[in-house]
Structures are given as structure tokens and as C-alpha cells.
Amino acid sequence: PAAPPAAPAPAAMPAMAGDVPPPAAPTGARLRWTLPKGWTESAGGSMRFASFAPPVTGKIDGSVVVLPGPAGGELANVNRWRGQIGLPPLDEAGLAAARKVVSAKAGPLKVYDFSNGAKPGSRLVAALAEADGNTWFVKLTGDAEAVGAARPDFMKLLGSLRFE
């Protein structure tokens, strides 16, 4: 009798959400900054290049993330951030109206500041910088009062951004 057919090769297991490796270290210039007085910085982890915390009361989180290429595009990223604090998406015209361009040593930064009054405590200030084929995201999120209190120093941090 003929030999039974060989068992099919096992299919590759799909990656689990927790199995996603962190992004590769960015190539080219690295973003650097000067922390405002009293702020603390910690090493990145997972998707983060770095984390920082201002000395304010309340829930607040500062992060620096770098992704290769356009990282999905400006509109998609801004709408993802808006969704994180419960705001509806913008179209291209709304994106342009919300964008503030700030000069830094790193070049022009696209800065956004969103707050959701219907979801108390939700505010986000974020900037995008591009260099050497990478997109850098610098964000401050958390309670509206905490983010508001830290915003002036965050803007100083953004002004100090530079590529080395």
C-alpha cells in the first residue's frame, strides 16, 4: 500500500501583541533635547526612545518615539492621537488649521495641542520632527490641568530639539 501523505508543515504562529519586538534603533541623526529645570528623564522601552516627566501634580506622561519613514503620515497620526483622548478625526483642512509650526534647532516642528472638555482630564500636546528618513514624535499627555501647567516648559523642550 502507498505510504500515507505527509502531514502538512505547521503554519507559522501569528505574532501576539506582546511579542512585537521594539523598533530598531534609528539610523542617522538622533534627536536630542535639553530638559527644563526639575524634569526627569528615563530610558525608553518598548516603542519609546525616551520618557520624561515634568514636576507637576496630576496624571501626565511624556514620550519620545521614533519610527522609520513617514510612519503612516501626519493626518493618520494626529487622528490616532485625537482618538486616544476621545476626539473625532480631522480632515486635511482641519489638520492645517490645528497645526502650529515651531522653529527649533532640529528644524520646523509641527505642533498640535488638543483638549477634550467632554472627557475631563484629557489633553495632548505633540510635535513631529523628521530627519534622515525617520519621524520623531514628542508628546505630553494626561490630565488637562497637569498638561497645561507643564506646557510652557514643554514648549521650551521642543525649542531645544536638535539632531546630532
Side-chain angles (χ1 to χ4, degrees), residues 16-164:
M16 301 297 288
D19 294 339
V20 176
T27 57
R30 297 206 180 212
L31 192 64
R32 300 290 185 227
W33 50 86
T34 302
L35 282 180
K37 183 178 180 183
W39 287 45
T40 58
E41 182 177 338
S42 58
S46 185
M47 296 292 293
R48 292 182 183 217
F49 182 77
S51 295
F52 52 85
V56 298
T57 302
K59 181 181 172 189
I60 193 162
D61 179 54
S63 64
V64 179
V65 173
V66 59
L67 295 173
E74 182 179 0
L75 181 61
N77 282 298
V78 168
N79 281 333
R80 181 175 42 79
W81 298 336
R82 288 177 59 84
Q84 289 170 351
I85 63 169
L87 292 174
L90 297 174
D91 59 14
E92 287 289 345
L95 179 73
R99 180 189 308 120
K100 179 179 178 185
V101 178
V102 173
S103 295
K105 296 173 186 175
L109 306 175
K110 298 169 185 171
V111 179
Y112 297 90
D113 187 344
F114 300 116
S115 187
N116 185 351
K119 185 177 177 183
S122 298
R123 185 167 180 189
L124 172 140
V125 182
L128 292 114
E130 299 171 355
D132 292 337
N134 294 312
T135 302
W136 294 81
F137 305 91
V138 184
K139 288 177 35 182
L140 192 61
T141 60
D143 293 340
E145 288 182 11
V147 173
R151 189 182 189 284
D153 280 342
F154 181 70
M155 296 307 292
K156 290 178 188 175
L157 182 144
L158 293 180
S160 77
L161 294 178
R162 62 199 176 275
F163 287 106
E164 296 178 352

